[in-house]
Amino acid sequence: MKDFEFYNPVRIVFGKKQLEKISDLIPLKKRIMLLYGGGSIKKNGVYEGIMKALEDCDIIEFKGIEPNPSYETCMKAVDLIKKENVEFLLAAGGGSVIDATKFIAAAALYDDGDPWDILAKGSKIKASLPLADILTLPATGTEMNKNSVISRQSTNEKLAFSSPHSFPQFSVLLPDAAATLPTEQVANGVVDAFVHVIEQYLTYPVNAPLQDRIAEAILTTLIEEGPKAYADPSDYDSMANLMWSATMALNGIIKAGVPEDWSVHDIGHELTALHNIDHARTLAIVLPGVWRVLREEKKEKLLQYGERIWGITQGTEEERVDRAIDVTVKFFESLGIKTKFSDYGIPAETIDRIVERFKKRGCLFGMGDRKLVTLPVVRKILEDRL
Ligand code: NZQ
Ligand code: ZN
């Protein structure tokens, strides 16, 4: 096992009727900004519940945060925060609203120039406004981590940052509010959480059996419960299991002491930036390519994954690896998520554009300290997906 530090201060409040508790969780005398997206919280009772719980508070609303939240929208919120002297941010919705709120909280106190540098240059955040969230969509894990992904519309870029100042103070997880999700969003959530686990698990063995087994438990639960929540988002128990699985997939527990490989996400973000494809769908496109191209480097874990998750024990090693990849693609497809460029009308020229972008950024990534995903490897991965 590798050396590690683990720190996660996020208070999780999970289940039914939890909104009533937020008035005790928020420092009441503060000026609060409520941030949300296109209005889903007005259709599932969450907005009403928040307003009722916080009726004695001074609330300033900021609405219209879009999926794949933009820097441009975030900076409008920053202006309003400064004008209104907001002291506490409360996000309500999915990962996009929460990620935007993390960036806004940091940008509002950033005094080293353009806050875009936090994303583009990795500039350090020294402080952030306190924030919390109400989660209505199981997928990203942002509710219990310090990461945020923001897009810049003017340049079609999508970049991430991570800061200990960006942990939410608390996150209220509401499986019943997720009942109003369109089924495509439920499918996205299952696949996003699934690939989060894979990026931290399917690398190479370092004798970390506990981390492996926790990761495998999350994958198995997603495979069992995800399709039920997809079939019926109002099935509370399945949605609750999906929601907690998605949180556990990216809260730092399973990455402690093991190598990570975020190449599926790194490449996937480019497909969203260039073609506006839902985050999870880009992952479903890229993952089979990464596995095919790096099958030797990942073989031991691919075999373990095939056996423990899908019961694949028969055949040669090569056949078992192929089956593990095929069965994963079938699982994504069973949720209505396609895995090829052609399924989304992505032209082959996109490969050149993505390779060129990584070249400009000097990128070389993947597989923990083994930087295997070079530019030619990125090209091969994407060519596999045509
Ligand atoms: O905007 P509203 O009206 O709220 O509608 C949203 C949005 O249109 C809707 N929605 C959310 N909850 C709903 C609902 N509709 C009906 N009923 C509900 N209960 O769903 C749509 C998509 O929401 P969004 O927040 O964009 O989805 P998701 O949670 O999948 O977040 C995706 C974003 O998170 C980033 C992605 O890159 C993407 O930008 N990620 C963040 C990560 C992190 N911070 O750790 C990790 C992930 O890998 C990911 O990159
Ligand atoms: Zn993701």
Side-chain angles (χ1 to χ4, degrees), residues 2 38 40 100 187 208 212 221 238 246 294 325 379:
K2 290 164 166 269
S40 69
D212 276 6
T221 309
S238 304
L294 298 179
I325 299 172
R379 180 176 293 285

Side-chain angles (χ1 to χ4, degrees), residues 258-323:
V258 301
E260 299 168 75
D261 173 2
W262 288 93
S263 47
V264 177
H265 271 70
D266 287 336
I267 301 171
H269 284 170
E270 297 306 320
L271 289 174
T272 299
L274 292 170
H275 296 291
N276 202 22
I277 298 168
D278 287 356
H279 171 65
R281 286 164 206 259
T282 70
L283 307 177
I285 297 169
V286 178
L287 178 67
V290 168
W291 281 354
R292 289 221 173 84
V293 175
L294 298 179
R295 61 188 290 145
E296 278 311 314
E297 294 80 357
K298 289 177 181 271
K299 189 183 263 170
E300 282 177 77
K301 277 303 196 63
L302 272 168
L303 290 168
Q304 178 178 325
Y305 163 78
E307 180 170 346
R308 293 194 188 175
I309 304 299
W310 298 107
I312 300 170
T313 52
Q314 304 294 314
T316 64
E317 288 192 346
E318 294 313 315
E319 284 165 355
R320 280 185 274 150
V321 166
D322 283 338
R323 278 194 58 206

Side-chain angles (χ1 to χ4, degrees), residues 73-84:
T73 300
C74 289
M75 291 313 288
K76 286 184 194 152
V78 171
D79 288 344
L80 189 59
I81 285 169
K82 289 183 177 164
K83 196 168 139 228
E84 299 282 350

Side-chain angles (χ1 to χ4, degrees), residues 35-38 62-77 91 94-104 116 119 140 142 147-154 156-161 269 272-273 276-279:
L35 302 101
Y36 55 99
F62 185 84
K63 63 180 171 203
I65 294 172
E66 59 281 82
N68 305 308
S70 76
Y71 166 77
E72 288 84 351
T73 300
C74 289
M75 291 313 288
K76 286 184 194 152
S96 292
V97 174
I98 302 170
D99 277 11
T101 301
K102 290 178 177 178
F103 178 72
I104 292 162
W116 179 247
L119 294 144
T140 63
T142 187
N147 311 329
S148 160
V149 192
I150 302 295
S151 299
R152 188 158 191 164
Q153 285 168 344
S154 58
N156 284 343
E157 285 171 286
K158 182 169 184 177
L159 300 171
F161 77 94
H269 284 170
T272 299
N276 202 22
I277 298 168
D278 287 356
H279 171 65

